[in-house]
Amino acid sequence: MRHGALVVALLLGACAKPREERAASREGLTAAELPQPRGAATVRMDQGTYSAPSVRFSADFLGDPPVPLMLVALSARSEDGGTWQFRMPVDEQFVKSKHATARIIPRTALGAGLAVVDYQRAGGPSVLMDEGTLELTVTGKQAKGEVRMKDGRVRATFEGPLTFECMVPPAWLSKANAQAAPAPVPASDEAGEVRVLDEALATPQCRSIADAFR
């Protein structure tokens, strides 16, 4: 399995220039990263307010033996059509501490400790933030955090409910005797690996992560 290619495909669908400039076309974003309808999660910047249903935390068990590729993401939009989003991979330490700090970079290849933040004002170009830090804290099922520039100034704050989604190999659901398991969905056209959504959290691997955020 081409794990590096999978990481790029699952985490990001857009490339960017080396400085904070126009981001690549949003046609490259995956469905999970496209701006979502208004909801309970709120992002506040000097330029305006953005909202989304929730801050999303996902775990995708890949490889042999499978290990979780975990990602926290938020895709929000403003009433006038502007967008704001971040993607931040996390590791198992985040499940224990409920806290993560990442360095913001303008690149597609990400790992734990790195994040991508981009925004777009209504009718304007999409912009990648090229330096700074993103801090995230989860209390119960509520997430909050802030984005700071390199000089320490707060660029944006966000808060809202945290939702969890977990993808596993199909055999795991069979062993867990899950009912009405969804049809397998290819994880990647390139790798061809198949996983399914453990919607009921029937597998111990998914349930253990979800239980940490109750």
Side-chain angles (χ1 to χ4, degrees):
M1 180 184 67
R2 301 179 183 177
H3 189 268
L6 264 178
V7 171
V8 174
L10 291 171
L11 298 184
L12 294 171
C15 298
K17 296 181 180 180
R19 300 295 298 171
E20 185 172 325
E21 299 175 0
R22 294 189 180 186
S25 169
R26 290 189 118 67
E27 293 178 357
L29 294 177
T30 66
E33 292 169 339
L34 290 174
Q36 301 297 310
R38 289 182 58 82
T42 303
V43 180
R44 294 181 174 85
M45 293 182 66
D46 290 341
Q47 295 87 348
T49 300
Y50 306 77
S51 62
S54 66
V55 179
R56 301 185 309 279
F57 175 35
S58 61
D60 202 341
F61 283 85
L62 298 166
D64 186 18
V67 295
L69 177 66
M70 295 185 286
L71 176 74
V72 180
L74 174 60
S75 297
R77 64 169 39 167
S78 61
E79 291 185 346
D80 63 3
T83 61
W84 189 95
Q85 60 184 359
F86 78 79
R87 284 85 71 201
M88 178 174 67
V90 293
D91 56 21
E92 294 180 358
Q93 183 58 37
F94 171 72
V95 178
K96 299 176 182 178
S97 67
K98 317 296 191 300
H99 179 82
T101 300
R103 180 170 61 90
I104 296 169
I105 61 171
R107 298 196 301 273
T108 58
L110 291 177
L114 300 175
V116 166
V117 176
D118 68 83
Y119 59 93
Q120 183 177 29
R121 299 178 187 177
S126 182
V127 177
L128 278 174
M129 189 173 174
D130 68 344
E131 56 185 15
T133 58
L134 190 156
E135 186 169 0
L136 169 70
T137 300
V138 178
T139 303
K141 293 185 178 181
Q142 291 292 312
K144 66 184 302 183
E146 62 182 22
V147 172
R148 288 183 175 271
M149 301 177 68
K150 187 176 181 180
D151 61 9
R153 289 180 295 162
V154 175
R155 185 69 174 272
T157 61
F158 60 90
E159 60 182 326
L162 184 78
T163 56
F164 176 61
E165 181 178 276
C166 191
M167 301 289 290
V168 300
W172 289 13
L173 283 182
S174 298
K175 292 179 181 178
N177 295 318
Q179 296 181 351
V185 177
S188 167
D189 290 338
E190 183 174 349
E193 188 167 354
V194 176
R195 277 106 57 238
V196 294
L197 175 65
D198 184 2
E199 189 171 1
L201 302 177
T203 61
Q205 293 86 350
C206 293
R207 190 165 55 249
S208 65
I209 297 175
D211 285 346
F213 293 89
R214 295 191 186 280

